[in-house]
C-alpha cells in the first residue's frame, strides 16, 4: 500500500515536472530571432533525442553487467531501457519531422542526425524483436546483452559516417568545441531543464517497465512450477 | 598459441568441407547477385553523366550487401543440422578459435561473392567507361567485407535460436552495417572520380571502415565464446 502511494506520488511528480518545463519552454522562453515560434519544438525534440541516445549508453552498461554478473535482472534492465529508448527515438523522429517541415520545407530529409536517429530506432526494434523471439533463460540474456553491446558500440560509428556523408542539420548550439555556447542564456536554462527532466522521466519509465517485466517473469516462473 | 591455431584450422577445414559438399550454398548468393545486377541494369538503363561512377559503386555494394547477407545468415545452418554445433559447445574448444575459424571461412566465402559481383558490374557496364576492377577499389571492398564478416558471424550466432530469424537478421544486419555501405561507396567514389589515393582515404572513409572492422572483430573475439558456451 505504501509502495502504491509512492508510485502514484512519483507519477504525479513526473507529470508535474514535464508540464512545468514544457510550459517554460513553450510559453515563457524568449522567441527565436530567425525561426520565430516554431523553434520552441526544441524543448521537446532535443531532450527526447538526448534521452534516446543516453538510453543506448545505459543499454551498454546493462549489457556488460549481464555478461559479467550473469544476473537475469540486468537483462530485464536492458530490455526496459531499450523499450524506453525506442519511445524517445520515435518522439525525436516525429518532432524532428514536424520541425523540418517549416524550416527545410519537407517532412523528411536524408540529413545526418535524422538518418542516425532512424537507424537507432531500427536497432532498438531489432533488439526488442530478438529478445521476444528467444526462449526465456540465461542464453537469451547473453544474446540480448551481446547485441546491446554491438548496438552501443556501433552508434558512434553510424553517427560519424552519416555526419561525414551529408548534413543539413545545424551544428551543436548548446556546447561547441571549446566550450562556447551560441544559444541565448535564457533559452539555454530552459533547454537544460527540459533535458534534465526528460532524463529523469526516462529513468522513471525504465524503472516502472523493469518492475513490470520482473513481475511478469516471476508469474511465468510460478505458473511453470505449478503446471503438473 | 599452437593449440589455438590448430583448432582454428580444423574449424576452417570443416567449414570448407561443408561448403564444398553443398555448392548450392555459395552458388545461390552469386546467382542472386547476378539477378540483382541484371535487374538494376534493366531498371536504370544506360548509366551516363557525372554520377556514373557513384551509381555503379552504389549498385555494386548494394548487390554485394544483399548477397552477403544471404550467405552470412545461414552459415551456421549445416552445423546445427548435423549436430556439430551442439557437439562443439561441450567440446574443450576455445571460443576464440571457433570464432576465428568461422570468420576465416566466412571471409573467403564472402570474397567468392564480392569479387565476381565487382567484376560483373564492370563487365555489364563496360560501356560507361568506369571499371571497378582496380586494386584500390578492391582494397576498399575487402576492408568493408572484413568488418561485415566479423559482424555477420556474431549476428548469425545470435539469431540462430530465434523463430523469426528470416526477418530479424536483415533488420539487425542492415542498420548495423549502414556505416560500411556509406563508407565503401564514398571511398570508392573518391578513388574513381577524384583520384584520391588509399593513403589519403585512411584519415576519412577508409579509416572508418578499418575502425568498424577492428571493432567488430574485437567484439566477436570477446563475445562469441559467451554466446556459444554451454549453460
Amino acid at each position: 500500500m505504501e509502495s502504491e502511494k509512492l508510485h502514484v506520488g512519483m507519477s504525479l511528480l513526473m507529470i508535474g515536472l514535464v508540464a512545468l518545463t514544457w510550459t517554460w519552454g513553450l510559453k515563457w522562453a524568449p522567441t527565436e530571432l530567425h525561426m520565430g515560434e516554431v523553434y520552441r519544438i526544441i524543448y521537446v525534440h532535443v531532450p527526447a533525442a538526448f534521452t534516446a541516445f543516453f538510453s543506448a549508453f545505459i543499454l551498454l552498461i546493462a549489457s556488460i553487467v549481464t555478461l559479467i554478473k550473469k544476473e537475469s535482472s540486468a537483462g530485464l534492465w536492458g530490455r526496459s531501457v531499450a523499450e524506453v529508448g525506442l519511445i524517445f527515438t520515435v518522439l525525436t523522429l516525429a518532432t524532428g519531422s514536424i520541425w523540418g517541415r517549416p524550416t527545410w520545407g519537407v517532412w523528411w530529409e536524408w540529413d545526418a542526425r535524422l538518418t542516425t536517429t532512424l537507424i537507432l530506432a531500427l536497432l532498438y526494434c531489432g533488439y526488442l524483436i530478438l529478445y521476444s523471439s528467444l526462449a526465456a533463460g540465461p542464453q537469451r540474456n547473453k544474446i540480448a546483452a551481446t547485441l546491446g553491446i554491438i548496438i552501443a558500440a556501433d552508434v558512434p560509428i553510424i553517427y560519424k559516417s552519416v555526419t561525414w556523408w551529408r548534413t543539413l542539420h545545424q551544428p551543436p548550439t548548446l556546447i561547441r568545441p571549446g566550450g562556447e555556447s551560441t544559444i541565448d542564456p535564457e533559452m539555454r536554462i530552459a533547454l537544460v531543464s527540459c533535458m534534465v527532466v526528460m532524463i529523469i522521466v526516462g529513468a522513471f519509465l525504465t524503472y516502472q517497465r523493469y518492475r513490470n517485466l520482473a513481475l511478469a517473469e516471476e508469474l511465468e516462473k510460478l505458473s511453470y512450477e505449478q503446471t503438473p | 598459441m599452437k593449440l589455438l591455431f590448430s583448432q582454428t584450422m580444423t574449424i576452417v577445414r570443416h567449414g570448407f568441407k561443408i561448403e564444398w559438399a553443398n555448392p548450392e550454398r555459395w552458388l545461390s548468393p552469386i546467382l542472386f547477385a547476378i539477378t540483382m545486377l541484371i535487374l538494376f541494369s534493366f531498371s536504370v538503363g544506360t548509366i551516363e553523366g557525372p554520377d556514373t561512377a557513384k551509381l555503379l559503386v552504389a549498385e555494386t555494394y548494394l548487390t554485394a550487401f544483399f548477397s552477403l547477407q544471404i550467405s552470412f545468415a545461414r552459415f551456421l545452418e549445416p552445423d546445427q543440422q548435423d549436430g556439430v554445433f551442439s557437439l562443439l559447445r561441450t567440446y574443450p574448444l576455445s571460443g576464440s578459435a571457433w570464432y576465428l575459424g568461422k570468420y576465416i571461412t566466412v571471409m573467403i566465402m564472402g570474397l567468392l561473392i564480392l569479387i565476381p559481383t565487382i567484376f560483373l558490374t564492370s563487365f555489364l557496364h563496360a560501356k560507361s567507361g568506369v571499371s571497378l576492377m582496380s586494386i584500390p577499389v578492391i582494397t576498399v571492398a575487402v576492408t568493408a567485407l572484413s568488418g561485415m564478416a566479423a559482424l555477420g558471424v556474431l549476428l548469425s550466432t545470435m539469431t540462430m535460436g530465434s523463430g523469426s530469424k528470416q526477418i530479424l537478421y536483415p533488420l539487425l544486419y542492415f542498420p548495423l552495417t549502414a556505416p560500411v555501405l556509406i563508407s565503401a561507396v564514398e571511398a570508392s567514389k573518391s578513388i574513381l572520380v577524384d583520384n584520391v589515393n588509399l593513403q589519403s582515404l585512411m584519415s576519412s572513409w577508409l579509416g572508418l571502415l578499418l575502425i568498424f572492422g577492428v571493432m567488430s572483430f574485437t567484439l566477436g573475439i570477446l563475445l562469441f565464446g559467451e554466446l556459444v558456451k554451454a549453460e
Side-chain angles (χ1 to χ4, degrees), chain A residues 93-137:
Chain A
L93 286 170
T95 50
S97 186
I98 293 167
W99 193 11
R101 183 76 181 98
T103 50
W104 297 336
V106 284
W107 291 106
W108 181 266
E109 182 59 55
W110 289 105
D111 159 68
R113 293 196 202 161
L114 257 74
T115 312
T116 316
T117 313
L118 178 63
I119 292 174
L120 183 67
L122 290 172
L123 289 174
Y124 277 137
C125 287
Y127 177 93
L128 293 171
I129 294 173
L130 178 71
Y131 193 98
S132 342
S133 70
L134 296 168

Side-chain angles (χ1 to χ4, degrees), chain A residues 67 70 119 122-123 126 129-130 133-134 139 142-143 146-147 149-150 153-154 157-158 160-162 164-165, chain B residues 151 154 158 161-162 164 168 171-172 175-176 178-179 182 186 204-205 208 212 215 219 223 226-227 231:
Chain A
L67 287 178
K70 322 268 181 215
I119 292 174
L122 290 172
L123 289 174
I129 294 173
L130 178 71
S133 70
L134 296 168
Q139 192 62 17
K142 277 199 278 185
I143 292 171
T146 307
L147 183 60
I149 292 172
I150 295 173
D154 207 38
I157 295 182
I158 295 170
K160 199 76 217 163
S161 68
V162 180
W164 279 354
W165 179 44
Chain B
L151 196 67
L154 265 184
M158 274 190 268
S162 163
S164 45
L168 202 53
L171 185 63
L172 290 170
L176 283 170
I182 296 172
E186 292 295 327
S204 58
W205 295 111
L208 204 65
F212 184 89
M215 188 201 80
L219 284 176
L223 302 171
E226 281 294 326
L227 287 175
E231 283 154 31

Side-chain angles (χ1 to χ4, degrees), chain B residues 33-226:
Chain B
I34 295 171
T35 313
M36 265 197 80
L37 285 174
I38 292 169
L39 285 176
F40 262 123
S41 303
F42 277 152
S43 55
V44 177
T46 311
I47 303 174
E48 285 170 332
D51 287 335
T52 305
K54 191 179 178 179
L55 274 170
L56 278 183
V57 166
E59 178 186 321
T60 312
Y61 283 118
L62 262 180
T63 305
F65 261 55
F66 282 112
S67 316
L68 289 169
Q69 183 258 319
I70 295 171
S71 172
F72 293 165
R74 53 186 200 163
F75 89 99
L76 277 172
E77 276 171 15
D79 282 0
Q80 266 182 294
Q81 283 160 6
D82 301 344
V84 175
F85 191 82
S86 312
L87 197 73
L88 287 176
R89 287 181 81 186
T90 48
Y91 193 76
L93 171 70
S94 143
S96 307
W98 195 352
Y99 177 76
L100 214 57
K102 286 291 173 194
Y103 175 73
I104 294 169
T105 316
V106 164
M107 253 315 264
I108 295 169
M109 299 320 293
L111 281 172
L112 278 180
I113 297 166
L114 187 69
I115 303 295
T117 308
I118 293 176
F119 172 75
L120 267 168
T121 317
S122 302
F123 177 75
L124 291 172
H125 294 280
K127 208 179 156 189
S128 69
V130 179
S131 174
L132 305 178
M133 290 302 285
S134 70
I135 300 284
V137 173
I138 290 177
T139 308
V140 169
V142 173
T143 315
L145 175 68
S146 66
M148 281 154 56
L151 196 67
V153 174
L154 265 184
L155 285 183
S156 190
T157 317
M158 274 190 268
T159 52
M160 199 170 56
S162 163
S164 45
K165 184 184 166 183
Q166 304 291 341
I167 295 169
L168 202 53
Y169 195 90
L171 185 63
L172 290 170
Y173 177 81
F174 291 118
L176 283 170
T177 53
V180 181
L181 181 66
I182 296 172
S183 307
V185 170
E186 292 295 327
S188 305
K189 192 194 84 183
S190 302
I191 292 167
L192 293 168
V193 178
D194 309 320
N195 291 319
V196 178
N197 60 23
L198 287 176
Q199 213 169 358
S200 313
L201 281 172
M202 275 305 286
S203 56
S204 58
W205 295 111
L206 190 58
L208 204 65
L209 278 178
L210 270 176
I211 292 172
F212 184 89
V214 170
M215 188 201 80
S216 305
F217 183 76
T218 313
L219 284 176
I221 287 281
L222 291 173
L223 302 171
F224 186 80
E226 281 294 326

Side-chain angles (χ1 to χ4, degrees), chain A residues 76 79-81 83-84 204-214:
Chain A
L76 291 183
R79 184 182 165 178
S80 318
V81 82
E83 286 182 6
V84 172
F204 177 71
L205 289 175
T206 306
Y207 175 66
Q208 290 304 320
R209 187 64 189 136
Y210 165 76
R211 273 180 33 160
N212 287 349
L213 289 173

